[in-house]
């Protein structure tokens, strides 16, 4: 096997047969999934699904009762010290030393990881640049907004240069702008070669960010795989649903759609400044290029054309609802 192949197939995380109960409540029930290295993996589920319990098991903070967890091939129970050097865990609720400045806070953790003064200066500069917090390094933590505290917290988990980041709902409580900025930082980290494992309640929030996703409900994996597979899961196998936005309604486009072989359903929604068409069509008989061509030919400006995101939410609801019904 070439080195390139090895890197490509290397798993950052492998979870097999993971089960854990609190008293007689089964929080995790035979959880199996894996995460390829250098990718972003979303871990999505409703409240109480078992996300934090799984994250704690990976982060060596909870000893699983059954099953194995491996981080870059290293067992989290038998070789927990080695695993700890490879991971950076950002919990959902974190308390910070509020009287410290951002620099002091990061310096404290860098020292705890055994970095000397010179290394600490270098690394703190790097993580502050990455999280765009250079200008705030002398500010007291207590004076920072939640979004900025999240960034400092992210900077903290980066000081020992871990390969796998474990982020438990890092976007919760952030305004839309701060969320987008956080997602951009995470993409940058992935491009640097880190693996990011990020949990959330909201699938659509992670859809654009993640390479793959695992959906957990009541301690059971409902889906694991790439986003594309999730989108098409539960769909009619042979159908696509796309959303096309134009600046206004076009009757000629509508007519052309109706006359196109393979178009199964068209829903329109006319807003003040644009019109959205939700188009369901057969994968075999029709193509996205064909639909887009018709829209362009209609001479009404196309603003957007993409796979229907609502479908993602529907997929999530269907998967997690199934868990409720089973009980
Ligand atoms: N220390 C504990 N003692 C008892 N029960 C626990 C403990 N930790 C978790 N649980 C239970 O295990 C289940 C899974 O909890 P967990 O915190 O892992 O879910 P979660 O998916 O992170 O939920 P949330 O989205 O609310 O953060 C829940 O029913 C929870 O009440
Ligand atoms: Mg949780």
């Amino acid at each position: 096997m070439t080195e390139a192949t090895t890197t490509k197939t290397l798993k950052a995380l492998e979870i097999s047969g993971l089960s854990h109960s609190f008293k007689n409540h089964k929080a995790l029930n035979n959880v199996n999934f894996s995460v390829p290295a250098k990718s972003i993996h979303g871990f999505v589920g409703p409240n109480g699904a078992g996300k934090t319990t799984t994250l704690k098991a990976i982060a060596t903070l909870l000893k699983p009762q059954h099953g194995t967890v491996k981080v870059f091939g290293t067992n989290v129970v038998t070789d927990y010290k080695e695993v700890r050097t490879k991971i950076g865990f950002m919990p959902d609720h974190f308390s910070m030393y509020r009287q410290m400045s951002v620099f002091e806070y990061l310096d404290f953790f860098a020292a705890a990881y055994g970095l000397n003064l010179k290394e600490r200066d270098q690394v703190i500069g790097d993580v502050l640049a990455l999280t765009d917090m250079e200008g705030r390094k002398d500010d007291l933590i207590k004076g920072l907004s939640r979004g900025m505290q999240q960034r400092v917290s992210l900077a903290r988990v980066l000081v020992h240069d871990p390969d796998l980041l474990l982020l438990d709902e890092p976007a919760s409580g952030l305004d839309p702008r701060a969320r987008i900025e956080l997602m951009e930082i995470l993409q940058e980290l992935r491009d640097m070669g880190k693996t990011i494992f990020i949990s959330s309640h909201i699938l659509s929030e992670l859809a654009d960010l993640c390479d793959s996703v695992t959906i957990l409900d009541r301690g059971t994996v409902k889906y694991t795989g790439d986003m594309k597979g999730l989108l098409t899961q539960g769909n009619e196998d042979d159908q696509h649903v796309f959303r096309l936005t134009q600046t206004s309604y076009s009757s000629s486009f509508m007519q052309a759609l109706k006359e196109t072989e393979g178009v199964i359903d068209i829903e329109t929604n006319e807003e003040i400044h644009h019109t959205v068409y939700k188009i369901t069509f057969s994968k075999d008989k029709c193509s996205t290029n064909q639909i887009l061509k018709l829209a362009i030919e209609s001479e009404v400006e196309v603003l957007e054309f993409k796979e229907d995101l609502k479908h993602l939410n529907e997929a999530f609801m269907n998967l997690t609802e199934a868990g409720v019904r089973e009980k």
Side-chain angles (χ1 to χ4, degrees):
M1 202 185 270
T2 64
E3 198 187 321
T5 328
T6 321
T7 315
K8 205 173 169 200
T9 53
L10 182 68
K11 299 276 185 237
L13 186 58
E14 285 166 283
I15 298 189
S16 48
L18 181 66
S19 295
H20 196 89
S21 297
F22 296 103
K23 295 200 175 125
N24 51 11
H25 173 70
K26 207 154 200 170
L28 297 176
N29 187 8
N30 191 24
V31 168
N32 297 284
F33 68 92
S34 63
V35 175
K38 302 175 194 248
S39 68
I40 303 184
H41 189 88
F43 194 40
V44 186
N47 289 126
K51 302 182 296 295
T52 299
T53 307
T54 308
L55 274 152
K56 282 184 179 165
I58 305 166
T60 77
L61 300 173
L62 175 133
K63 193 174 169 189
Q65 290 152 346
H66 299 281
T68 53
V69 179
K70 287 182 184 173
V71 170
F72 293 105
T74 307
N75 189 301
V76 300
V77 175
T78 52
D79 298 300
Y80 65 92
K81 282 191 180 159
E82 192 186 333
V83 169
R84 285 178 187 172
T85 64
K86 297 179 180 179
I87 58 168
F89 177 45
M90 183 170 152
D92 51 350
H93 299 291
F94 48 87
S95 47
M96 299 178 91
Y97 303 108
R98 294 169 55 81
Q99 300 295 339
M100 280 183 175
S101 71
V102 170
F103 184 88
E104 285 166 344
Y105 179 76
L106 296 174
D107 191 56
F108 174 81
F109 282 96
Y113 276 105
L115 275 65
N116 68 35
L117 197 67
K118 199 169 160 233
E119 290 167 335
R120 298 206 299 267
D121 260 354
Q122 171 71 41
V123 100
I124 292 169
D126 290 348
V127 296
L128 285 174
L130 244 170
T131 51
D132 213 6
M133 287 294 287
E134 289 149 305
R136 313 300 295 255
K137 78 183 182 40
D138 297 320
D139 289 17
L140 290 184
I141 302 244
K142 67 177 180 183
L144 299 178
S145 68
R146 180 167 173 85
M148 285 183 182
Q149 288 192 8
Q150 290 293 72
R151 283 182 195 216
V152 177
S153 204
L154 182 61
R156 172 180 70 73
V157 301
L158 291 170
V159 292
H160 60 297
D161 197 23
D163 291 322
L164 173 64
L165 299 182
L166 305 167
L167 312 176
D168 199 0
E169 295 188 40
S172 78
L174 298 187
D175 68 35
R177 188 186 180 84
R179 263 166 212 252
I180 291 167
E181 285 169 357
L182 175 70
M183 302 300 164
E184 283 171 359
I185 296 170
L186 298 182
Q187 272 164 340
E188 205 176 323
L189 287 166
R190 189 250 326 261
D191 294 345
M192 288 166 63
K194 309 248 179 244
T195 308
I196 295 156
F197 186 70
I198 173 174
S199 81
S200 174
H201 296 120
I202 310 161
L203 180 61
S204 52
E205 181 177 279
L206 296 182
D208 291 336
L209 177 76
C210 293
D211 303 299
S212 54
V213 68
T214 293
I215 304 216
L216 193 73
D217 188 34
R218 299 177 173 235
T220 308
V221 172
K222 297 291 179 181
Y223 175 84
T224 188
D226 63 11
M227 296 300 302
K228 194 81 193 158
L230 180 64
L231 273 169
T232 48
Q233 225 213 14
N235 254 6
E236 298 292 334
D237 284 347
D238 53 351
Q239 290 179 11
H240 264 321
V241 183
F242 267 68
R243 205 167 265 265
L244 189 138
T245 309
Q246 285 188 318
T247 43
S248 64
Y249 180 79
S250 159
S251 50
S252 65
F253 176 47
M254 191 65 174
Q255 191 55 35
L257 278 178
K258 282 182 183 164
E259 287 167 6
T260 302
E261 202 199 346
V263 172
I264 296 157
D265 187 49
I266 314 158
E267 280 176 39
T268 55
N269 191 2
E270 287 182 57
E271 305 281 342
I272 304 171
H273 298 297
H274 61 266
T275 297
V276 182
Y277 304 80
K278 185 176 159 187
I279 308 155
T280 307
F281 56 95
S282 154
K283 282 180 189 170
D284 298 335
K285 295 186 184 144
C286 190
S287 71
T288 48
N289 281 8
Q290 243 175 302
I291 305 274
L292 190 58
K293 189 164 173 273
L294 294 177
I296 291 165
E297 281 169 358
S298 77
E299 290 176 20
V300 176
E301 198 184 334
V302 177
L303 295 173
E304 197 176 51
F305 184 47
K306 59 190 253 186
E307 198 146 17
D308 183 28
L309 245 194
K310 252 197 190 144
H311 242 68
L312 207 57
N313 288 338
E314 272 166 34
F316 179 69
M317 293 304 279
N318 291 342
L319 287 168
T320 50
E321 260 176 22
V324 178
R325 281 202 296 270
E326 271 163 22
K327 222 182 161 197

